[in-house]
Amino acid sequence: MSALEVENLGFAYGAREALQGVGFRTAPGRFTALLGPNGAGKSTLIAQLTRLYELQRGDIRVAGFSLRERPREALRRLGVVFQQSTLDLDLTVEQNLRYHAALHGMPRVVANERIAQELQRQHLAERGRSKVRELNGGHRRRVEIARALLHKPSLLLLDEASAGLDPASRRALNEHVRALCRTEGMSVLWTTHLLDEVQADDDLLILDRGRLVAQGRAGELSAPDGDLERTFTRLTDNPVAA
Ligand code: ADP
Ligand code: MG
């Protein structure tokens, strides 16, 4: 079964078409990169996946559950890190996570246990009592990943999670999320406009002006010369941000 199935998805903001006929499947336990220039429709797609915006055309299935027909089952299997951070900077890491757990109706004892486990897994066990404001950008992102994983979803969505980080933190975060796939079988959809966050072995989706213009193994899409930048530029008429 696919981790995620998107079928003929279309979405418009009023008269402005943001997604048209977008269809793809992602495989369980894989790191799938969704690459597209600014304005391609990546965040709009994430908003549809998380039901922030009601579906207009097409359907989405998470672990086989249709977002139209079985929204609760579908959403339970999704964890999301949005493009804009939604942490409260003046609360501690643990307080942010506890607040989220309470919102989702998680009993306190369960929440505390899950929070401890997730902070451990995100290598943040020592930071639980720190205010988020005291953390650097990369650590803040990992708090958001911990939060997204509290309810044990099977699919983790990250929308430009590395935006605003320095190059070293960007690489570290990208590696960190890859490790979740490799060692824990997590399915990941990683959106970015940055080519250097894509590796040859990744499953790659390229989105441009609301349409999916390529999909396949990144190494194969960049053939014959292995130059993904050239492929990307050819498909999107877009010079890339490095
Ligand atoms: P990306 O995340 O790939 O940068 P977005 O999904 O944010 O792209 O935007 C896709 C298109 O939809 C862009 O043309 C953008 O200007 C437009 N758009 C995004 N949000 C809104 C909105 N709230 N109202 C109107 N147009 C929007
Ligand atoms: Mg975006």
Side-chain angles (χ1 to χ4, degrees), residues 146-161:
R147 185 177 62 181
L149 297 180
L150 279 185
H151 63 291
K152 298 194 172 177
S154 55
L155 171 63
L156 177 63
L157 310 173
L158 301 109
D159 193 6
E160 308 236 19

Side-chain angles (χ1 to χ4, degrees), residues 38-39 41-44 46 80-86 141 144 157-164 191-193:
N38 286 325
K42 303 182 295 298
S43 293
T44 303
I46 297 286
V80 61
V81 176
F82 289 105
Q83 184 165 1
Q84 305 294 338
S85 168
T86 52
R141 276 317 204 180
E144 293 196 276
L157 310 173
L158 301 109
D159 193 6
E160 308 236 19
S162 66
T191 94
T192 183
H193 66 281

